[in-house]
Structure formats: C-alpha cells, structure tokens
DNA sequence: CGCAAGTTTGAATGGCCTCAATTTATGTGG
DNA sequence: CCACATAAATTGAGGCCATTCAAACTTGCG
C-alpha cells in the first residue's frame, strides 16, 4: 500500500470492527467507484421519503439521523462519526424513513447501490460484514430506546456522551481531545429532554468531573466517571470480538 | 397445496409483507427442517448473552424482547405477533444482546442457523427478504425511540396500541376482536411510564372511545380514534408496497 | 375458597417543562 | 478590527405531568 490511501479505507476499517475481512476483500471494497460529496453544517444529506440509489459513508465531520412527530418534535436516532456507513439500510428499503443531516461540515463518499450489491454477491464476506454492521446499528437503536425510556436525565446524557466517546475511541480518535459534536439543543433532541434541562444537567455533570468544557464544547477525558454515572454496559456495541 | 399447511408458511407470509418471493422460494423455505417449541406464559425464550445456534419464528401466542439497566429497570423493545421472526438478527450477531420472553403461552418454530444460511445462499431472494424484514424491524425500533422520547403518555400509549393493532391486521388477524396481549405493567415497560400512570391514561383513552375493555383485556375496535390521538404515521412500518 | 397476579384509586412529591430574559460565542461585512 | 447579526448557552421562577408510596379491589385459577 505505497499509494495514496483510498477514502473507502475508512469504511473497511469500520467493518473490521465487527467482521473479519481478507485483504482481498478490502482491496475489492476500496476499488468501488465512489464520489466525494461535501455537505456544510446543518445541510440535509437525505430527506425522509427519498428514493435512494446511493449509499453514503461518512469520511469527515459528523452527521445525525432523525425523524419528526406530526407536531414537529424532532427525535435524533443516531449520531455518526467518520467511517460510519450512514444509510446502508437503503440497500434493502428503497424509501428513506429518516432524514440525515450534517452536524458539522461533512465529507461523504457516495457509492451506487448497484455496484455495492454486485460486490456483495461477488464477495459474500463483504455482504455479511455490511449486514452485521447494520445489526449492530439496530442494537444501538434499541439501547437508545432503553436510554430514553428508563434513565433519568443525568444518566441519560452521560450514556449518550459515553457511547459517542467510546465509538470515537474504537475508530482510533483521540477521545480525550475530541469534543462531542453536539449542541445542547441536539443533545436534548437525542435524549428526549428540553434544552434548558440539558443545560442544567451538563452543569451538574461538570461539577462531578464527568465532563469538561473547552471553548464551548464538551469533552469527556475521564470516561470512567461518565461510565459510572451512566451505568454504561458496552455489550450492546458488540466491540469485544470480531464476528460478534 | 392440498396437504397439511406447513407451520413455516406463517413466516413466508410474513416475509411477503415486504418482499416478493416466488412460489419456488416459498416451497424451499417451508421445507426447511424445523422443530416445534412450546413456551408457557412468562418463560424465557432467549437470554441476553446466549450464544445462539437457532433462529425462532413465532407461530402462536405473543412474545416480547427486552433489555435491562444496571438498576434493574426493564425496557421492552419489541412486541412480536404470530408469523414474526423473533431473533433472526442472531444470524449476524452470535451473542444475544436482548432477552426474549413469552407474553402468553407460545409456540415457536426453531430453525438451525446453518440450514438457514445455506438456504439464503442458494436462494438469494430469501436472503434479501430476511434482511429486509430485519431492516423494517430496525425502523420500528427507531420509531419506539421517538415514541418514548417525544410523545406524552396519552399519545405514547395510543401509538403503541395502534402499532400492534395494525401489525396484527397486516397479518390478517381480526384486530377488532383481538385483544392487546399486554398487561399494564408491560405497557409501562414498553413506554417508559409507570404502571400507575398507564392505568390512569388507559382510563382516559377509554373515556375518549379510543379503546374498550373486554374481560380485563384491551381491544381497539375503532382504530381511527387511536390513530388521531397517537399522531400515527404508518410509513415506518413499510407496509405500503412490497420491496419497500 | 384462598392465593397470586393484575388492576384501580388516593394523596403527596418531584423531576422535568414552560416561559422569558440575559449573556456568551460565532461569524460576517464594512 | 470593530459593529452588528445570529446561533448557542445560561439563569430564574413557576407550574404540571408523571412519579412514588400505599392500600384496596378484582379476577383467574388450583
């Protein structure tokens, strides 16, 4: 690999968090035709109801997935970090049931579904790795339901921050210095709380030494405190072993 | 089909809610070796942490999927009705991250994962149908997060009842006369409310004519009222068209 | 008939929300 | 580099939805 590292390497590494891929598989994956897409802060990536012909991999920046009630209340369903496939479920559901939006300026790789499906057939291990990644996502969705349904504001916010930090760490980000890419409004919409209460709870968490503020952003350098407050059990992330 | 209808026909019909399967596909599917499993009211079907070698299809009765916090609070993640594949995600995640329990006396068909994987390779349309069903499940998980996070108790309970009723209807149950298979405690754990408040909210819903009580059980014969209260938008169920 | 499970009701408390206003970043153009 | 506009964060006061605690009632069943 003396040449310029391919952008899709990020996806390969992400898949390898949960699956074993041969070097040949990875080579085939990164040779897929892809297009770079830039999206600025807050712009839409996918809109609910869209018929999608492409799948996106987040390369830089952060994005989130959300859905709204008839009353206009927004629930954030997922926060994506670089390397994450953000809408590969559209391989199976041609109509988007959620919207995707950039949390920060983003760069994404867009891959045609046809090319992807062809590769998944030709290289079944890649197909399985992609579906496995989607199953891990589903486990995370369920944990969010538990989080919002059963934990109080303190533990709920701590759990969210904990998850994001651990996922960043898993993808080799320096979590102690990577700020959480969420505003307090967004934390509110991800946890089912109001921004006002999020603000007060964050203040309390800072008082406990669970988080710090650097230039208006939240960082979580001492994960252990946060873990304790959240009652965090990482099993749902399935990070322990490949093929689980 | 003059012979005794195979039990796995229920699974085939369920898959056909979202996917197009040829008769040859269905024939191959129902010829899978399977074993009948009976589980009585409240007994465990799968325990979190289990390494699973089989997948289950619910044939009769009702079951639910749940997870617990460290404090022992339970969140119900899904309610399953006859025909539903209840743990096919274990095809991709060898360790169960949730527990499954019978809501009522249940009959399930157990299929070995090896046999299932073999069939999915031999008949790709079946493989795709199974993964598509899992993706619809994931969409439902996300809707539950929205439900618990954004709706008040009234709409939240109405939404839960609405979903179960519509899913029963989709699988040709007589929803107007099929009682909701949940106790008030279970509704509480599915919605993130307390049993006491569920009881009071149900009383209010009955007052609105949204639900009725027959022999201690809840039935929802007039779905429209429930839909209105829930702000129910069925798109997330992907029932409109096959292959979506 | 008596236990067990589930339902129902009351009273009091509290966690989180609502409304409203102020302060602090962030960014832009002159 | 400052003035201004905009987005985000912060703080206060009051109120309500849902909770907690406790007890009584109903129903199904061995």
């Amino acid at each position: 690999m003396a040449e310029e590292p391919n952008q899709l390497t990020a996806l390969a590494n992400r898949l390898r968090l949960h699956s074993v891929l041969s070097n040949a598989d990875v080579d085939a994956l990164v040779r897929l035709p892809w297009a770079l897409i830039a999206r600025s802060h807050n712009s839409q990536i996918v809109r609910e109801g869209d018929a999608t012909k492409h799948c996106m991999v987040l390369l830089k920046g952060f994005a989130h997935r959300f859905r709204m009630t008839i009353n206009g209340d927004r629930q954030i369903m997922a926060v994506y970090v670089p390397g994450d496939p953000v809408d590969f479920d559209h391989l199976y559901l041609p109509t988007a049931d959620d919207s995707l939006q950039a949390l920060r300026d983003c760069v994404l790789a867009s891959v045609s579904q046809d090319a992807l499906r062809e590769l998944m057939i030709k290289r079944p291990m890649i197909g399985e790795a992609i579906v496995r990644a989607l199953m891990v996502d589903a486990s995370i969705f369920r944990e969010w339901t538990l989080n919002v349904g059963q934990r109080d504001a303190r533990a709920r916010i701590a759990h969210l921050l904990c998850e994001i930090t651990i996922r960043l760490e898993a993808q080799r980000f320096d979590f102690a210095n990577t700020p959480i890419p969420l505003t307090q409004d967004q934390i509110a919409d991800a946890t089912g709380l109001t921004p006002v209460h999020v603000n007060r709870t964050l203040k309390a968490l800072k008082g406990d030494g669970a988080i710090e503020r650097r230039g208006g952003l939240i960082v979580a350098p001492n994960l252990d405190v946060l873990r304790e407050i959240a009652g965090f059990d990482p099993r749902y992330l399935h990070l322990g072993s490949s093929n689980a």
Side-chain angles (χ1 to χ4, degrees), chain A:
Chain A
M1 295 258 196
E3 26 178 336
E4 181 70 15
N6 186 298
Q7 304 273 30
L8 287 184
T9 306
L11 175 61
N13 290 336
R14 166 62 212 270
L15 293 179
R16 280 180 153 170
L17 286 181
H18 303 108
S19 303
V20 174
L21 292 179
S22 69
N23 289 337
D25 285 331
V26 171
D27 284 350
L29 182 64
V30 302
R31 280 205 203 92
L32 274 172
W34 50 273
L36 267 195
I37 293 185
R39 286 278 178 277
S40 62
H41 172 254
N42 276 350
S43 66
Q44 296 266 117
I45 299 167
V46 173
R47 206 175 302 266
E48 190 196 337
D50 280 0
T52 54
K53 295 291 172 204
H54 299 267
C55 288
M56 309 268 203
V57 179
L58 186 57
L59 299 178
K60 284 184 185 146
F62 296 91
H64 71 288
R65 176 189 276 257
F66 69 96
R67 200 178 278 184
M68 302 187 83
T69 67
I70 286 186
N71 304 322
D73 296 315
R74 177 178 68 161
Q75 176 68 43
I76 293 180
M77 312 287 196
V79 172
Y80 294 112
V81 307
D84 284 341
V86 297
D87 68 339
F88 278 40
D89 51 328
H90 295 145
L91 284 166
Y92 298 93
L93 299 175
T95 304
D97 46 36
D98 298 320
S99 299
L100 288 162
Q101 193 173 1
L103 285 167
R104 300 296 165 90
D105 290 358
C106 278
V107 179
L108 304 108
S110 168
V111 183
S112 101
Q113 292 187 354
D114 290 340
L116 207 42
R117 286 205 190 85
E118 201 178 321
L119 179 67
M120 291 166 77
I121 292 168
K122 196 178 298 175
R123 297 201 159 265
M125 286 301 116
I126 292 181
E128 203 179 322
I130 286 173
V131 177
R132 181 171 296 116
L134 289 167
M135 294 299 117
V136 173
D137 283 352
S139 174
I140 295 175
F141 295 142
R142 294 194 294 274
E143 186 71 19
W144 280 45
T145 302
L146 183 152
N147 197 37
V148 172
Q150 302 299 331
R151 288 192 257 261
D152 66 15
R154 215 179 147 64
R156 204 184 300 180
I157 293 174
H159 197 279
L160 172 68
L161 301 181
C162 219
E163 176 187 309
I164 294 174
T165 304
I166 287 174
R167 284 173 45 213
L168 283 170
E169 190 185 8
Q171 290 175 237
R172 306 187 184 289
F173 282 79
D174 172 14
F175 72 89
N177 292 301
T178 305
I180 301 287
L182 297 170
T183 66
Q184 295 184 6
D185 275 343
Q186 289 159 346
I187 292 174
D189 284 345
T191 53
L193 298 164
T194 55
V196 171
H197 200 61
V198 168
N199 181 277
R200 291 179 171 130
T201 308
L202 285 174
K203 189 158 81 169
L205 287 173
K206 191 169 73 173
D208 298 333
I211 58 172
E212 293 173 13
R213 318 296 295 277
R214 292 186 200 155
L217 298 171
I218 303 168
V219 289
N222 29 0
L223 245 190
D224 289 341
V225 181
L226 213 49
R227 269 200 167 96
E228 175 66 25
I229 293 171
F232 194 85
D233 178 345
R235 275 180 292 180
Y236 76 98
L237 292 172
H238 293 274
L239 285 169
S241 60
S242 304
N243 280 36

